Amino acid sequence: KRAIRERDNYTCQLCGSIQDEREFDVHHIDYNKLNCDPANLITLCYKCHLKTRDNRKYWEKYFNEKA
């Protein structure tokens, strides 16, 4: 997880906020917790990670197109 946060410069890849005292979440783009390929992982702040709980197909497409 630390390596992904470092790669993403400790920045939420959705809203652009920078991590402070609370560590950001590392989100599985395809929602498969067993797929820990770095290309499938992205750094999100808590609020943005909550947004991605609904409408999974939309978010999976969004993050894959952004890559």
Side-chain angles (χ1 to χ4, degrees):
K1 289 182 178 183
R2 185 182 322 135
I4 300 304
R5 291 184 193 110
E6 279 182 28
R7 179 199 69 194
D8 293 343
N9 296 312
Y10 298 94
T11 303
C12 177
Q13 299 301 295
L14 189 55
C15 74
S17 63
I18 297 174
Q19 179 177 302
D20 50 23
E21 62 272 347
R22 181 179 182 170
E23 286 188 329
F24 282 171
D25 298 328
V26 175
H27 172 68
H28 292 80
I29 293 170
D30 68 1
Y31 294 90
N32 178 358
K33 301 277 187 206
L34 300 177
N35 182 1
C36 293
D37 182 319
N40 184 51
L41 301 172
I42 195 166
T43 303
L44 295 176
C45 70
Y46 178 75
K47 286 182 180 181
C48 288
H49 201 198
L50 284 177
K51 290 180 191 178
T52 66
R53 289 188 177 181
D54 295 322
N55 204 358
R56 288 181 169 197
K57 287 184 187 273
Y58 169 82
W59 289 112
E60 186 173 355
K61 182 179 178 197
Y62 176 87
F63 290 124
N64 280 319
E65 288 177 354
K66 187 176 178 182

